[in-house]
Amino acid sequence: MNPALQTLLGLALLVAGAVLALGFPEQELGWFRGRPLGLVLAAVGVLDLAEAQWRRR
């Protein structure tokens, strides 16, 4: 995957996770609540950003 695209995807996941975790913590989204789903999305976003930085080097 292109590192620039992977960085953009990581940022999008991080922002979406932060919005869910902070803005809608008690909202039910299907089987999930906002805060745990948001934390998982934010963690995946951080890992994606770290991998993009690692691949650039």
Side-chain angles (χ1 to χ4, degrees):
M1 179 180 264
N2 185 0
L5 183 62
Q6 190 172 7
T7 301
L8 185 62
L9 178 63
L11 284 173
L13 285 171
L14 184 62
V15 168
V19 167
L20 277 175
L22 299 174
F24 304 102
E26 297 300 321
Q27 184 72 28
E28 289 190 18
L29 305 165
W31 294 327
F32 304 102
R33 290 202 174 262
R35 183 171 291 140
L37 180 60
L39 291 176
V40 168
L41 284 177
V44 169
V46 167
L47 290 174
D48 206 26
L49 286 172
E51 182 183 357
Q53 291 298 325
W54 180 71
R55 285 183 185 233
R56 282 187 185 177
R57 293 182 180 169

